[in-house]
Amino acid sequence: MNPRVRAACDLQVAEVREFAGLHDLYDGVVQDLSPAGVRAGLTRLGDGPRDPDAHDEAQLQATEAGLRAWFDLVEEHRRSPLPHLGNLDLACYDREYAPAEERDEARRRHLAAWPEAVDAAIESMDRVPAAIAAALLNATRGLAAGVPETETEALAAHRRLVEHVEHFAEHGDPDPSLGAPALAAVMGDPEGLPVDLGRLAERADAERDRLRALLSEAVERYRPGARPGDVIPKLLADHPSEPEQIYAEARAQIDEATEFTLARDLLPELGGQCNVGPAPESRRWAMAMMSWAAPHEADAPSWYYVTPPDPSWTPEEQEEWLTVFSRTTLPAITVHEVTPGHYAHGRMLRRVRGEVRSTLYSLSFVEGWAHYTEELFVEEGFRADDPRFTIGIAIEALIRVTRLASALGLHTGTMTLAESTARFKEDAFQLGPAAEAEANRAGYDPGYGRYTWGKLEILRTRDEARARWGKKYSHRRFHEALLSYGSPALGLLGNAIGGD
């Protein structure tokens, strides 16, 4: 492996182990996230030859810049439990990428390293804002789910970690904001793209207005003369009543979306298997997520994880959470997570050439691509006779654009967490715990505006491809050209269509 690629991987062990599939290097390994360990990793970045491919060199440089912004500029390992949760998480061994005995042995080695990793986490986390600690406290507790009681040292270490996070949840800094310069670096550096936060906020507001118009038009088709605020609560209340019903409906939607993708020639036949089930307890900070069969591993089933409501919540809170998976919004979530969204992207990654493209990912492209495919389905006429699908797409998109507005507002000091929560309720129709969870995520995931930003950049590139290719343009040509670069930084999308 190119030593520069290896140095970049060494600073994101959990990510490349699971999503790139570098199990030979990283199974059973925990990253040294102590202050000294992070400093040592940063010194190795960029130490090696240039990549002979101009795009791959630019992608590598953007990755290195993003890691410096994350670990050197904002020192995220000091202000958030999230990097440490990923580092300790054992759920990465659940998916069947290798024989069970190999994965079990890796899990044992990983678990044996918990005490040292927890010591490093406690040493690093010395300035965690209260809101971030509180938002990730349940996920921190969930790390130990399924760990046998006989693993006394690991469980004792886990209790120390929980106590440390509990301390900051009660006594941490009440202000979780990064500040505008740091936010611009965290967003733009890994994308090889300067970020004008003010201009991006304007684009977010314009996109919100466009989506409101799309929603109003779909509601008018669904119930002429009705207002979105009158119709949507009733639509969201129509949802499966039990998690198993959610999984069953999602499985049927996967088949439907896959058939439509092939019928409209949006992507080639991709094969593989995608299972649906509950998210591991350590990953229930997100409502749904994909764990795909990664490019550097043998083919195996991917998992579409869905987070069920917390049983400790009141019946009213559990009902509010289940509205996220309504029969209006769940199809949009499935398109995003599976086909032609994340699962399909993961299948395409298994076809790309070179270690840079198959290993180093732009998160803004990953999420932007999946978000882009949602409205692509509306454009192509998926469930054209049922306006509820477009309503669901618009609601999901309003959640994503509200994330962008909230991240910009929170980290530049123009919006409080309470104001962000209210905005998710008003603009994105989120209720109770769901709205609070979305607002809190802005603190520990400052780049979660990447969904809308990535989508907008992909759409801009698609417009350029249409202009450049003329009659030779097709969606499939554009999609395959884009995905042949893996998960390119947003500043490099033009390479896919013959730009600079």
Side-chain angles (χ1 to χ4, degrees), residues 113 142 210 293 372 467:
R210 186 189 72 83
Y372 157 78

mmCIF file of all heavy atoms in Angstrom, residues 113 142 210 293 372 467:
data_model
loop_
_atom_site.group_PDB
_atom_site.id
_atom_site.type_symbol
_atom_site.label_atom_id
_atom_site.label_comp_id
_atom_site.label_asym_id
_atom_site.label_seq_id
_atom_site.Cartn_x
_atom_site.Cartn_y
_atom_site.Cartn_z
ATOM 1 N N ALA A 113 -8.365 -5.078 23.984
ATOM 2 C CA ALA A 113 -7.707 -3.773 23.883
ATOM 3 C C ALA A 113 -8.560 -2.644 24.460
ATOM 4 O O ALA A 113 -8.100 -1.494 24.503
ATOM 5 C CB ALA A 113 -7.371 -3.473 22.417
ATOM 6 N N GLY A 142 -24.422 1.758 25.211
ATOM 7 C CA GLY A 142 -24.754 0.633 24.347
ATOM 8 C C GLY A 142 -23.557 -0.142 23.834
ATOM 9 O O GLY A 142 -23.713 -1.252 23.307
ATOM 10 N N ARG A 210 -37.531 25.667 -2.451
ATOM 11 C CA ARG A 210 -37.878 24.804 -3.586
ATOM 12 C C ARG A 210 -38.570 23.539 -3.096
ATOM 13 O O ARG A 210 -39.559 23.081 -3.690
ATOM 14 C CB ARG A 210 -36.616 24.438 -4.373
ATOM 15 C CG ARG A 210 -36.889 23.649 -5.661
ATOM 16 C CD ARG A 210 -35.608 23.121 -6.278
ATOM 17 N NE ARG A 210 -35.028 22.022 -5.508
ATOM 18 C CZ ARG A 210 -35.417 20.758 -5.609
ATOM 19 N NH1 ARG A 210 -36.407 20.421 -6.437
ATOM 20 N NH2 ARG A 210 -34.838 19.813 -4.879
ATOM 21 N N ALA A 293 -21.162 -4.447 1.910
ATOM 22 C CA ALA A 293 -20.065 -5.358 1.603
ATOM 23 C C ALA A 293 -18.957 -4.524 0.976
ATOM 24 O O ALA A 293 -19.122 -3.956 -0.106
ATOM 25 C CB ALA A 293 -20.537 -6.447 0.645
ATOM 26 N N TYR A 372 -29.202 12.440 -3.499
ATOM 27 C CA TYR A 372 -29.507 12.759 -4.901
ATOM 28 C C TYR A 372 -30.444 11.724 -5.503
ATOM 29 O O TYR A 372 -31.361 12.063 -6.272
ATOM 30 C CB TYR A 372 -28.191 12.835 -5.688
ATOM 31 C CG TYR A 372 -28.305 12.604 -7.170
ATOM 32 C CD1 TYR A 372 -28.770 13.601 -8.030
ATOM 33 C CD2 TYR A 372 -27.943 11.368 -7.726
ATOM 34 C CE1 TYR A 372 -28.867 13.382 -9.396
ATOM 35 C CE2 TYR A 372 -28.037 11.146 -9.082
ATOM 36 C CZ TYR A 372 -28.500 12.141 -9.918
ATOM 37 O OH TYR A 372 -28.604 11.925 -11.266
ATOM 38 N N ALA A 467 -24.719 19.655 -20.588
ATOM 39 C CA ALA A 467 -24.259 20.681 -21.519
ATOM 40 C C ALA A 467 -23.056 20.205 -22.328
ATOM 41 O O ALA A 467 -22.947 20.483 -23.529
ATOM 42 C CB ALA A 467 -23.916 21.955 -20.753
#
